[in-house]
Each structure stands twice: as C-alpha cells, then as structure tokens.
Amino acid sequence: MNDNHLTSAWSTYSRTVFIAFAAVALALIAYEHRVHVLGILPWLLILACPLMHMFMHHGHGGHSGHDHSRHDARMTPHKPKEKEDV
C-alpha cells in the first residue's frame, strides 16, 4: 500500500455522481416551481429600487464624504474663459 498518498473523502467518481444528482434535482425543482418564481419577479423589481438606492447611493445620510468648506456664500460664480481670436 502507498501510505504517502492521502485519499480525499470525495473521490472523483463520488463527486461526479453528486454533481449530476444535484443538477438534475435543481432542474426538476426549477421546472416545478417556475410559476412561483415568475410570479414574484415584478415584486423583486420593485424591491430592487429601494435596495439599490440604499446600497449604491448610501441612503440620505447627510453626504458627509463631501468637502463643503470651499462652498461659501461669499464666493463669486465661476466665469467662463473668453475665446481667443485665432
């Protein structure tokens, strides 16, 4: 016997059989419950809007990351540059 080689708990054959069984089981479950999944899709779209607002825009937490020290009421508005004659 070869004691230097450790055998894993999952042989290649066992792993292949398990993946095939899981794929068939998931396909059958998805096929049988497609009506439930398709019925909830509009609600998931509506739920996605506030979730994206909270996680992508970080809510309305005061926008503390912005530097407002440069925005002073006494500052004059920016004037665009005049065109140079060519």
Side-chain angles (χ1 to χ4, degrees):
M1 290 186 68
N2 186 1
D3 292 333
N4 294 335
H5 180 66
L6 297 174
T7 58
S8 67
W10 289 80
S11 68
T12 305
Y13 178 74
S14 299
R15 194 176 306 141
T16 304
V17 169
F18 176 75
I19 290 173
F21 176 77
V24 170
L26 287 173
L28 288 174
I29 289 172
Y31 179 75
E32 289 295 323
H33 295 283
R34 72 182 183 276
V35 174
H36 306 296
V37 173
L38 294 177
I40 200 168
L41 281 179
W43 296 108
L44 290 177
L45 182 65
I46 292 171
L47 179 65
C49 294
L51 289 176
M52 284 192 305
H53 182 76
M54 292 303 295
F55 291 112
M56 295 177 74
H57 297 294
H58 306 290
H60 287 287
H63 304 282
S64 61
H66 298 282
D67 182 21
H68 294 288
S69 62
R70 293 181 291 152
H71 299 289
D72 192 12
R74 295 172 290 179
M75 290 181 64
T76 58
H78 175 72
K79 293 181 183 179
K81 291 183 180 180
E82 295 180 14
K83 291 184 180 178
E84 294 180 13
D85 291 331
V86 180

